[in-house]
Amino acid sequence: SMVDEVERLKQQNLELQLQATPSEASTPDEGDNQVVQDLRNQLLETGLEVEQLKDRSKALAEELDAAKEEVERLRDALRRAGEDRDEQAARARDAAAAEAERD
């Protein structure tokens, strides 16, 4: 799910941050610097992915809210149609009863 994906990316982000933190014990050489730079770039990309997922999640939540409102509107319309049908049936019964009394 979207939430699982966000959590996975957060965890990956944390791991990349830990990897990108240079240790004081070692003196970085050119290769280490490249690794750190690569990890920082991955971290930035992961951050962007997380932001995109947050935006997508927000958009989906808005779509869901709109769909819920539409369902409520349709339920109200069905309820009103049912009430109208019941009123018509009652009027028809009353008319039939009045017709039967006249006979």
Side-chain angles (χ1 to χ4, degrees):
S1 77
M2 191 71 65
V3 173
D4 294 336
E5 182 67 7
V6 169
E7 286 305 314
R8 187 188 66 74
L9 287 170
K10 282 183 182 176
Q11 182 62 36
Q12 182 182 354
N13 193 342
L14 186 61
E15 290 167 7
L16 289 172
Q17 281 179 335
L18 292 173
Q19 291 173 15
T21 306
S23 113
E24 288 86 21
S26 66
T27 309
D29 61 13
E30 199 56 42
D32 287 342
N33 286 338
Q34 186 58 50
V35 169
V36 168
Q37 190 57 50
D38 289 346
L39 289 171
R40 284 196 176 122
N41 289 340
Q42 278 183 309
L43 189 59
L44 287 174
E45 288 173 21
T46 302
L48 287 175
E49 288 175 20
V50 168
E51 287 305 311
Q52 289 170 345
L53 283 171
K54 284 181 183 175
D55 291 345
R56 180 73 181 127
S57 179
K58 183 178 177 193
L60 287 171
E62 290 171 359
E63 286 178 36
L64 180 61
D65 287 345
K68 285 178 181 175
E69 288 175 13
E70 180 68 5
V71 166
E72 273 309 306
R73 193 184 63 72
L74 290 170
R75 278 189 184 142
D76 287 346
L78 278 173
R79 183 183 42 71
R80 284 193 303 274
E83 290 169 356
D84 290 348
R85 185 196 63 225
D86 292 346
E87 285 177 25
Q88 288 175 348
R91 280 197 299 272
R93 278 192 307 272
D94 293 347
E99 187 70 32
E101 285 179 15
R102 275 197 293 258
D103 287 346

